[in-house]
Amino acid sequence: MKQRIITAIVAAAVFLPIVLYGNMPFIILTYLLATIALFETLKMRNQRILSIPGMISIALLWIFLLPSQYNKVLEDMGFSKIELALLAVLLFLTYTVVTKNRFTFDDVAFATLATLYVGIGFYYFIETRNHDQGLAFVFYALFIIWTTDSGAYFIGRAIGKKKLWPDISPNKTIEGALGGVVCALIVAVLFTFFVDLGGVSIPKLFIVTAILSVFGQIGDLVESALKRHYAVKDSGQLLPGHGGILDRFDSLLFVLPLLHFLVFV
């Protein structure tokens, strides 16, 4: 526990000021975090980041992370992100032939999906922060995730009886999951007393918060399922006591795209 607390304090001291400042330092930080998360994901399947498929994955990731205000750079080159993603898939498939199927079709599918899984979530991290009220919504999302996790943990330990998904995460309970949603709803209302969320009505706030709380938990379960499938305890060891970057951002990868679609679109 002491190690977890120390790591959390140090990480917050580095992370929060950059989030508050935003702009290019935040974009660079997000690129770094996403690249590490992709490395951790590929490593689960023993795919090396310093390889031809790894380099293709990183290139595709960095293209997907390009903030919307820089899309004109791609347009001036005559490409879209989707077209470049298709080109990456063709390169992956070509590599299966070059390696005489040592890099298989399944490897292509994993590398492509892993890049999209990490890239889309972190892209919307940038897009949310770049919104006019992005800082408020970034912290709203963080508070919803932290509150859901804490509420689910403590309520699950106190009254949890029915297992939520024992084959994937044996300690999670249905009571804890529901308790996490309730805690998130309470904190979301309290949050609006101190931070302006752009006139989001209370009924909409309740609906959005409930959806984000549920899908934040699903994001955590998705990563748990991925780790269990590949017999990995943690995605990495970068954060002592917490695991890897993917372990810390698994819920955000689901929450931030949904937040964007539900509030900003």
Side-chain angles (χ1 to χ4, degrees), residues 11-81:
V14 174
F15 178 73
L16 294 180
I18 297 177
V19 173
L20 288 168
Y21 184 79
N23 300 309
M24 189 54 68
F26 177 75
I27 293 174
I28 292 171
L29 175 65
T30 304
Y31 263 76
L32 177 61
L33 293 173
T35 303
I36 295 171
L38 178 60
F39 163 75
E40 293 172 347
T41 308
L42 295 179
K43 188 178 177 183
M44 291 185 199
R45 192 177 167 85
N46 294 319
Q47 291 186 3
R48 294 182 296 111
I49 202 78
L50 295 178
S51 64
I52 291 177
M55 293 297 103
I56 295 172
S57 297
I58 287 179
L60 180 58
L61 174 71
W62 289 0
I63 290 168
F64 260 91
L65 290 177
L66 193 68
S68 58
Q69 67 262 35
Y70 298 117
N71 280 346
K72 194 173 186 303
V73 175
L74 294 180
E75 292 171 2
D76 289 343
M77 296 169 59
F79 295 105
S80 68
K81 290 184 178 181

Side-chain angles (χ1 to χ4, degrees), residues 1-17 239-240 242:
M1 180 61 72
K2 181 180 178 181
Q3 183 64 72
R4 286 177 64 88
I5 293 173
I6 293 173
T7 300
I9 292 172
V10 173
V14 174
F15 178 73
L16 294 180
L239 304 171
H242 291 266

Side-chain angles (χ1 to χ4, degrees), residues 17-182:
I18 297 177
V19 173
L20 288 168
Y21 184 79
N23 300 309
M24 189 54 68
F26 177 75
I27 293 174
I28 292 171
L29 175 65
T30 304
Y31 263 76
L32 177 61
L33 293 173
T35 303
I36 295 171
L38 178 60
F39 163 75
E40 293 172 347
T41 308
L42 295 179
K43 188 178 177 183
M44 291 185 199
R45 192 177 167 85
N46 294 319
Q47 291 186 3
R48 294 182 296 111
I49 202 78
L50 295 178
S51 64
I52 291 177
M55 293 297 103
I56 295 172
S57 297
I58 287 179
L60 180 58
L61 174 71
W62 289 0
I63 290 168
F64 260 91
L65 290 177
L66 193 68
S68 58
Q69 67 262 35
Y70 298 117
N71 280 346
K72 194 173 186 303
V73 175
L74 294 180
E75 292 171 2
D76 289 343
M77 296 169 59
F79 295 105
S80 68
K81 290 184 178 181
I82 295 298
E83 289 169 339
L84 290 172
L86 293 174
L87 175 60
V89 171
L90 293 178
L91 292 174
F92 278 137
L93 292 173
T94 300
Y95 194 66
T96 65
V97 176
V98 172
T99 61
K100 298 179 180 178
N101 230 21
R102 291 192 301 275
F103 184 78
T104 67
F105 193 89
D106 289 347
D107 293 323
V108 172
F110 183 86
T112 304
L113 185 56
T115 306
L116 294 176
Y117 167 54
V118 173
I120 291 173
F122 278 103
Y123 168 76
Y124 282 107
F125 196 18
I126 295 173
E127 289 298 288
T128 301
R129 180 61 185 88
N130 285 347
H131 191 268
D132 290 341
Q133 292 182 295
L135 183 60
F137 279 102
V138 165
F139 278 99
Y140 161 73
L142 291 173
F143 272 105
I144 294 307
I145 291 169
W146 294 338
T147 304
T148 299
D149 287 348
S150 298
Y153 175 76
F154 288 110
I155 293 174
R157 289 197 64 179
I159 62 172
K161 300 293 183 183
K162 299 179 181 178
K163 297 296 183 180
L164 178 64
W165 205 332
D167 291 338
I168 291 178
S169 189
N171 294 325
K172 286 183 170 58
T173 64
I174 294 175
E175 295 86 352
L178 294 175
V181 175
V182 172

